[in-house]
Amino acid sequence: MAALISSSHAVNGFSDPLFHQSGIVPVVNLFDDGYWRLIALNRILFFCLIRLHIYYHVWLMIKGWIWLGTKAVRLLGFRNFNPGGTPSLKRMTFRITIAALRKWPNTAITQIWWQCYQLFADEGDFEMDYVAAWRHKFEQSNNSGPALHVHLYVENSYLKAPIPTGPDDEATFRALQMWYCLIQFRMGLGEILLPKRLTRIDRVQICKVELRPVGLGSKIESLVLGRSKNSHTAFFDDPERVKGQVTVTQKLMANAEDEGLEFVRSWNTVAIAAIILLPFVLSLVFGGIWIGLFVKKGTDVQVAVQTAFTVASYIVTAGALLIALIAFIDSQALKDM
């Protein structure tokens, strides 16, 4: 998993050693509840626009030829050959921007920087660096003490994330909220189109497996977090209600290496109903606009109505197929857990 910290790949948990040079990297919470959807949509649209642009394919061809040329030159004996030079553009950009963040700490600027970084960087590198930056921030708040890492599971997604150990359950739940939203962000378009609601949080045993860092074991207990509508996550949704308490934090600290948290969810029926009805509503709106426009232009009413509702039927069919496809992919992913 990208969120796991590999010592062979990273220095102090970061994807690039420049992140950890000369102090702590400033970081802010990008993933407030609801805001992660906007970030995910921005990333999806950004990459769609880039990949549809002709210059992106030209850039890929140039990059491929540079890679092949580098391999050929190294095979001839020049093993230290680097066509990008040292330092590279990426490393120079990191030096300048990170140094500026440390010199002029500002929440708004820091948020903009991380927003830009998640757009342009590889998703795995961004997640690794974001988690590592928060770990260093928690350790700094703990007077350089080690941060507590918890194993988090959301269906077939896994994340090993740091949480603060000094404060109370309020700070713990705020950190868990952020990591839960990060996992939702990672799950992408399916999580946006077919949303689910959190029903409870379980303490679970973890076990080592061959192809994954840790596997999901048996359930220990469901955390008592208060009832809110149809879920048992009232304190998680509103952490201020447990300010000053340390019940959950102590449970997490007791056996963090062998236990984890599973976020148990169910379908959000209200949101799903709205999404299923959306293609039908759009088709009606399209039909009404189409008929109104072409009748004003003098087009025969019968022809305008037939054309409008033919196109509208395609909209309904395409929407239904898309929803069915995403639901099928989601069901297959659950079978693979």
Side-chain angles (χ1 to χ4, degrees):
M1 289 295 174
L4 288 178
I5 298 166
S6 173
S7 58
S8 61
H9 176 67
V11 176
N12 294 305
F14 291 102
S15 66
D16 194 297
L18 287 175
F19 272 101
H20 192 62
Q21 292 178 359
S22 305
I24 302 296
V25 178
V27 64
V28 295
N29 183 4
L30 297 181
F31 300 98
D32 291 329
D33 187 25
Y35 190 58
W36 67 267
R37 292 182 177 85
L38 180 60
I39 299 176
L41 285 174
N42 284 340
R43 186 177 179 88
I44 292 169
L45 292 174
F46 178 78
F47 277 97
C48 287
L49 290 174
I50 286 180
R51 280 158 174 73
L52 288 174
H53 202 283
I54 186 172
Y55 292 114
Y56 175 76
H57 302 287
V58 174
W59 177 79
L60 282 181
M61 292 175 59
I62 295 173
K63 186 177 180 180
W65 282 110
I66 291 175
W67 182 82
L68 289 174
T70 303
K71 290 291 184 183
V73 171
R74 287 177 178 173
L75 287 174
L76 293 175
F78 300 95
R79 302 199 177 273
N80 295 324
F81 175 72
N82 181 10
T86 304
S88 65
L89 179 61
K90 175 184 175 181
R91 295 175 68 84
M92 288 176 62
T93 305
F94 276 6
R95 281 198 181 98
I96 295 170
T97 55
I98 294 176
L101 285 178
R102 288 177 178 139
K103 188 172 183 180
W104 299 290
N106 181 280
T107 301
I109 296 176
T110 302
Q111 184 166 9
I112 292 171
W113 188 88
W114 280 103
Q115 289 278 17
C116 294
Y117 184 58
Q118 66 87 16
L119 277 178
F120 290 98
D122 176 78
E123 186 175 350
D125 286 346
F126 163 74
E127 186 174 307
M128 176 182 292
D129 297 332
Y130 189 72
V131 171
W134 272 105
R135 187 184 77 248
H136 283 259
K137 184 174 182 177
F138 290 148
E139 289 175 349
Q140 187 184 40
S141 64
N142 295 339
N143 296 321
S144 299
L148 175 66
H149 286 78
V150 292
H151 303 279
L152 305 178
Y153 300 86
V154 181
E155 296 177 357
N156 62 334
S157 292
Y158 165 78
L159 178 67
K160 185 177 181 180
I163 61 173
T165 56
D168 52 12
D169 286 351
E170 180 186 8
T172 299
F173 283 142
R174 292 197 185 280
L176 290 175
Q177 278 181 343
M178 177 174 64
W179 300 131
Y180 175 61
C181 291
L182 174 60
I183 296 174
Q184 290 180 295
F185 165 78
R186 180 207 291 172
M187 295 169 77
L189 188 61
E191 187 71 11
I192 298 173
L193 294 180
L194 295 176
K196 296 182 179 181
R197 60 182 180 85
L198 185 64
T199 57
R200 69 178 192 271
I201 301 176
D202 293 342
R203 282 177 61 211
V204 293
Q205 293 281 354
I206 62 173
C207 54
K208 302 293 182 180
V209 293
E210 293 182 1
L211 300 179
R212 297 183 65 181
V214 288
L216 182 61
S218 59
K219 173 183 172 182
I220 300 173
E221 66 172 353
S222 294
L223 295 180
V224 180
L225 304 179
R227 189 174 182 86
S228 175
K229 296 181 181 179
N230 295 324
S231 65
H232 297 270
T233 58
F235 299 157
F236 178 81
D237 297 332
D238 185 11
E240 290 186 2
R241 296 172 63 177
V242 289
K243 188 174 183 178
Q245 300 181 23
V246 293
T247 306
V248 175
T249 305
Q250 287 179 346
K251 287 182 179 180
L252 295 178
M253 293 176 64
N255 196 8
E257 288 300 319
D258 299 322
E259 296 179 5
L261 295 178
E262 180 186 13
F263 294 84
V264 182
R265 310 191 303 167
S266 62
W267 291 108
N268 188 332
T269 54
V270 175
I272 294 297
I275 291 171
I276 291 175
L277 289 174
L278 183 61
F280 175 72
V281 174
L282 288 177
S283 67
L284 292 179
V285 172
F286 173 83
I289 294 175
W290 181 281
I291 293 170
L293 288 175
F294 281 86
V295 167
K296 282 185 178 181
K297 292 182 179 180
T299 307
D300 182 71
V301 176
Q302 184 177 0
V303 174
V305 170
Q306 289 178 345
T307 306
F309 282 95
T310 299
V311 178
S313 65
Y314 281 111
I315 295 175
V316 174
T317 303
L321 288 175
L322 178 62
I323 292 171
L325 176 62
I326 295 174
F328 172 76
I329 293 173
D330 182 77
S331 65
Q332 293 301 114
L334 289 177
K335 289 180 182 179
D336 294 335
M337 289 179 61

